[in-house]
Amino acid sequence: MGPVLAGALQLLALIAALALAYIPLGNHMAKVYSSDQHWRVEKWIYKGIGANPDAQMRWTAYLRGVLAFSAVGVLFLYLLQRLQGVLPGSLGFSSIDSDQAFNTAVSFVTNTNWQSYYGEQAMGHVVQTAGLAVQNFVSAAVGIAVAVALVRGFARSRTGELGNFWSDLVRGVVRILVPLAAVAAVVLVACGVIQNFSGIHEVGQFAGGHQQWNGGAVASQEAIKELGTNGGGYFNANSAHPFENPTPFSNLFEIFLILVIPFALTRTFGLMVGSVRQGYAILATMGTIWLGFTALMMWTEFAHHGPAFDLAGGAYEGKEVRFGVGASSIFATSTTLTSTGAVDSFHSSYTGLGGGIAMLGMMLGEIAPGGTGSGLYGMLVMAIIAVFIAGLMVGRTPEYLGKKIGTREIKLAACYILITPALVLVFTAAAMALPTPADSMTNSGAHGFSEILYAYTSASNNNGSAFAGLNADTQWFNSTLGLCMLLGRFVPMVFVLALAGSLAEQRPVPATAGTLRTEKPLFTGLLVGAILIITGLTYFPALALGPLAEGLAS
């Protein structure tokens, strides 16, 4: 079987698995966030944190809950790292430096999981499990909660109430993420992923000498890292490490975990707004972009550029021979079109155009299908932009799901789509202009520029993957990337929740002959076009200086 055919078959198998999970998981999540009943364990949690799960919140109160909970998470994780040297199970590792502890705490709380350290050489068992793994659960649940609040804004009318943040948070963890992650962890253990609390072992090497390896609760963390679109890795090699991702089946299963909740949330959206066809329209938009990017990535990486590429069957540099070019391309596209950041190959070694495709996937806002929750609310904001553009074309007030898109709504949507490009471009320009950050580049020219552009794109969009080749463990990058992760996560949430509150206060507008049918293929095409054009106009000059210049020169 040729490598191209193998890649195509893996893609078809992945699509089939996602299709099988779409309806049951989407239905389950809709029931979770529509139910009035509380489980006993949830009641214990509410009592422990002093929250009233039945109190309805306006968008300002909901936002305060999001920010307060996240701030406590940053502080707790920061202190846990700073105290690591005196904690049990530290494996002899010292406490984390202040700038790196800040960067890592912000990274995991914002669902980014950017790592400027070597996982197996820096973090002990307590920090990995009680700190990083816990944030993998709760940060993903926060993203879903904000998405559900926006969906309620469309579904409700003449009220500013969006539900209860604490209820949405706890239910997301207890009823969705923990059960799915438990099953996924068992599957990964069966595939050969390690799960233990062993110490450091010294092992011999084939070429002579010795090397140190440490174990850890890898399968459980790997499951939620992918399922919650967190990213990161227990080991520095991330999902290319055989302890994290040992077989081609485990590789495909991890891609499935990355995509399953973001895609299924479109079904949840359709059920909660009372129109499954609206959910299918959003699904079709996400699927079209994901398939298109995956096909382009596979084409660029399978393209032959001389005898070496002909013999290898594609661009094998930086890719695991266990997985091949096809599976690595699918993984790279899926991880950058979501907010995952896990990698099973070296993105810096991709072809110039391949690296550009990965970068562009993040620049879209990671909405195809995006992160857990963040992908859905990002796509819905883009849908509002698209109906506004359509309204300008025909000269009528735009409407979406029975809600008028007026001045307030379009201003909030515009602010949402502007914040991350501003962070990416301003900080990239500053890093290139200053001598100290530029010294961290291991490559010059277009590729070196791409390293820095990728880093700020990844941080600002809460992705967490790295182009590699950049020494990001410096005070400048730890501080500025941490700032980008904070602003890139929570400032957009402010606009999303304000938009949800504005929509929930409106009276529903009856559909007329002039209403744009947003469940039709025409709207899907309009939405895809709006996403690509807006992103292209925003980032094209920067992309032209980096991956496009490199790709055209090769």
Side-chain angles (χ1 to χ4, degrees):
M1 183 186 298
V4 177
L5 179 58
L9 291 177
Q10 289 184 72
L11 182 60
L12 289 175
L14 176 62
I15 293 172
L18 291 169
L20 288 174
Y22 178 74
I23 292 179
L25 181 56
N27 290 353
H28 172 66
M29 290 191 290
K31 291 178 181 178
V32 166
Y33 292 108
S34 301
S35 173
D36 295 327
Q37 303 298 317
H38 305 296
W39 289 3
R40 181 176 299 178
V41 65
E42 294 170 350
K43 293 179 181 179
W44 293 342
I45 296 173
Y46 299 139
K47 186 176 181 180
I49 62 178
N52 178 7
D54 297 313
Q56 289 291 311
M57 295 179 173
R58 299 181 68 84
W59 77 268
T60 49
Y62 205 100
L63 176 64
R64 285 196 298 270
V66 170
L67 297 180
F69 178 77
S70 300
V72 171
V74 171
L75 180 61
F76 173 77
L77 190 51
Y78 175 83
L79 292 176
L80 198 64
Q81 294 174 85
R82 295 290 288 155
L83 296 172
Q84 175 174 251
V86 298
L87 293 175
S90 64
L91 301 179
F93 299 143
S94 61
S95 298
I96 308 300
D97 293 338
S98 58
D99 58 320
Q100 191 174 79
F102 164 75
N103 181 279
T104 304
V106 168
S107 176
F108 278 78
V109 171
T110 58
N111 201 242
T112 310
N113 293 34
W114 171 273
Q115 294 172 292
S116 60
Y117 60 88
Y118 297 96
E120 65 269 42
Q121 299 177 17
M123 301 295 183
H125 291 324
V126 173
V127 175
Q128 290 275 22
T129 55
L132 307 185
V134 168
Q135 286 302 322
N136 282 346
F137 282 96
V138 296
S139 65
V142 168
I144 301 176
V146 173
V148 169
L150 179 58
V151 173
R152 292 193 185 115
F154 284 109
R156 297 180 178 181
S157 59
R158 289 174 288 184
T159 177
E161 297 174 344
L162 300 176
N164 185 282
F165 167 70
W166 304 107
S167 175
D168 292 339
L169 172 71
V170 172
R171 289 182 180 189
V173 173
V174 173
R175 303 191 193 185
I176 299 172
L177 295 174
V178 168
L180 291 177
V183 174
V186 172
V187 174
L188 289 174
V189 168
C191 291
V193 179
I194 66 171
Q195 180 74 12
N196 57 56
F197 289 101
S198 68
I200 297 176
H201 303 278
E202 191 169 278
V203 296
Q205 296 178 311
F206 289 114
H210 293 82
Q211 188 172 4
Q212 289 185 334
W213 290 98
N214 58 284
V218 178
S220 56
Q221 188 160 327
E222 192 76 11
I224 188 57
K225 126 183 172 179
E226 312 293 16
L227 192 65
T229 61
N230 297 281
Y234 205 99
F235 300 99
N236 184 52
N238 211 290
S239 291
H241 198 290
F243 286 0
E244 289 193 27
N245 190 7
T247 67
F249 176 80
S250 68
N251 187 69
L252 198 63
F253 181 66
E254 289 185 14
I255 301 174
F256 169 80
L257 293 178
I258 292 171
L259 299 172
V260 66
I261 289 181
F263 273 130
L265 275 172
T266 62
R267 172 80 179 183
T268 304
F269 159 69
L271 291 171
M272 292 183 71
V273 299
S275 175
V276 174
R277 296 180 69 185
Q278 295 287 350
Y280 284 138
I282 298 298
L283 173 66
T285 304
M286 292 177 172
T288 299
I289 296 174
W290 176 71
L291 278 174
F293 271 60
T294 301
L296 283 173
M297 180 68 83
M298 294 178 74
W299 173 73
T300 60
E301 297 307 300
F302 275 120
H304 297 172
H305 300 289
F309 286 88
D310 287 331
L311 292 172
Y316 262 95
E317 181 189 338
K319 299 181 179 66
E320 271 293 318
V321 294
R322 290 175 292 143
F323 309 138
V325 173
S328 297
S329 299
I330 299 170
F331 200 115
T333 304
S334 299
T335 198
T336 50
L337 280 170
T338 62
S339 64
T340 310
V343 295
D344 72 348
S345 53
F346 198 57
H347 287 187
S348 184
S349 290
Y350 276 53
T351 61
L353 294 179
I357 292 169
M359 211 178 302
L360 182 60
M362 295 184 291
M363 291 172 174
L364 293 181
E366 295 175 320
I367 52 178
T372 48
S374 60
L376 178 61
Y377 66 66
M379 183 60 80
L380 293 178
V381 171
M382 291 305 303
I384 289 173
I385 299 291
V387 297
F388 176 74
I389 293 172
L392 293 177
M393 291 178 178
V394 299
R396 62 173 281 127
T397 303
E399 304 164 10
Y400 186 54
L401 300 178
K403 301 295 178 71
K404 284 190 175 294
I405 307 303
T407 304
R408 175 177 170 81
E409 289 76 24
I410 200 62
K411 285 181 178 178
L412 291 169
C415 288
Y416 175 91
I417 65 173
L418 287 174
I419 182 65
T420 46
L423 292 172
V424 172
L425 298 177
V426 169
F427 278 101
T428 299
M432 293 300 298
L434 298 173
T436 302
D439 290 340
S440 293
M441 296 188 304
T442 55
N443 294 281
S444 59
H447 196 81
F449 174 76
S450 294
E451 291 174 357
I452 290 183
L453 178 63
Y454 192 104
Y456 285 108
T457 301
S458 177
S460 301
N461 286 283
N462 301 127
N463 181 273
S465 66
F467 208 52
L470 178 71
N471 175 25
D473 187 15
T474 66
Q475 192 170 33
W476 165 270
F477 282 110
N478 280 330
S479 302
T480 57
L481 290 172
L483 183 61
C484 285
M485 288 185 277
L486 275 177
L487 297 177
R489 175 71 165 179
F490 296 114
V491 175
M493 284 184 175
V494 174
F495 299 128
V496 168
L497 291 173
L499 178 61
S502 178
L503 293 170
E505 292 172 351
Q506 291 189 28
R507 295 174 179 269
V509 179
T512 66
T515 301
L516 175 65
R517 302 292 296 275
T518 54
E519 77 280 12
K520 297 290 185 179
L522 176 63
F523 178 71
T524 297
L526 173 65
L527 183 52
V528 171
I531 292 167
L532 295 177
I533 291 171
I534 290 172
T535 304
L537 292 175
T538 304
Y539 287 106
F540 180 78
L543 289 170
L545 293 173
L548 285 177
E550 183 182 358
L552 293 174
S554 61

